[in-house]
Amino acid sequence: MRVYIRPPRPEDERAYSEAVVRSADHLGPWNPVEPDGLPELVLRQGTALRSFMIFDHEDDGLVGRVNVANIVRGRFRNASLGYDSYVPYAGTGRMTEGLRLIVDRCFAAGPDGLGLHRLEINVQPENERSLAMAKRLGFRHEGYSPRMLHLNGDWRDHERFALTAEEWPGA
């Protein structure tokens, strides 16, 4: 692996802000560009949200951020993955490597794993790179959700993908 993952820390604020600003054109069509959003994200970590930062082994540069959100326990054991990749690492395969590590962590039992059974990825239909990511990771297409999420001032349609632990090669 060319990358490693870990939870976000307050000391990541500068690297995060610089990565988001540098990647504004890359992120802007799909997600809000919020370079000052890391402190709030760190504070929101808990039972329903776990975030991970993906870093490059060679230069410790910030490759991307992944939120494991809407975590539901009990009989459902489900969560949604949301992710942003950052320039200059976008398109190099490092985000895919990092997401593989995170999916492994999501399906793994505790104490280090989240012990989930099912993961979802929801992608705007025009976001070809994220659609390809979901498919590359082995997520299956489950459907189409009109006006699912309010982003950048509009309700956005999403393609819905899912994967269960039994379908994941690393489980």
Side-chain angles (χ1 to χ4, degrees):
M1 289 282 180
R2 296 174 291 170
V3 300
Y4 64 94
I5 63 170
R6 66 166 171 76
R9 301 175 185 156
E11 58 267 25
D12 295 326
E13 189 171 350
R14 181 176 177 192
Y16 178 83
S17 180
E18 289 173 356
V20 171
V21 168
R22 185 174 58 244
S23 306
D25 291 342
H26 173 70
L27 301 172
W30 318 115
N31 288 313
V33 176
E34 299 171 330
D36 300 324
L38 188 66
E40 179 189 346
L41 183 65
V42 170
L43 290 174
R44 290 179 40 221
Q45 298 303 297
T47 58
L49 174 69
R50 295 283 302 278
S51 298
F52 295 92
M53 309 293 266
I54 302 171
F55 291 93
D56 183 76
H57 266 301
E58 187 174 315
D59 64 11
D60 285 323
L62 183 55
V63 172
R65 177 195 41 83
V66 177
N67 289 330
V68 183
N70 306 316
I71 299 172
V72 179
R73 300 292 178 177
R75 295 180 190 271
F76 196 28
R77 294 191 335 210
N78 183 69
S80 297
L81 297 180
Y83 45 86
D84 287 333
S85 64
Y86 303 125
V87 173
Y89 305 99
T92 67
R94 287 170 176 81
M95 193 68 187
T96 301
E97 291 178 23
L99 271 162
R100 287 185 193 287
L101 293 172
I102 292 164
V103 171
D104 280 343
R105 178 87 49 99
C106 287
F107 288 142
D112 294 329
L114 298 179
L116 297 172
H117 178 256
R118 184 175 184 279
L119 294 171
E120 295 182 10
I121 294 176
N122 295 289
V123 180
Q124 294 173 55
E126 300 82 16
N127 189 343
E128 294 175 8
R129 291 178 91 168
S130 280
L131 289 171
M133 174 72 76
K135 293 173 186 174
R136 190 165 44 252
L137 291 170
F139 282 68
R140 79 186 115 63
H141 187 258
E142 286 196 326
Y144 179 78
S145 300
R147 299 170 304 284
M148 180 188 169
L149 195 58
H150 196 258
L151 294 167
N152 296 334
D154 288 313
W155 287 101
R156 306 293 175 124
D157 301 341
H158 281 72
E159 297 287 347
R160 193 174 58 257
F161 295 84
L163 180 73
T164 62
E166 296 87 356
E167 297 166 308
W168 184 245

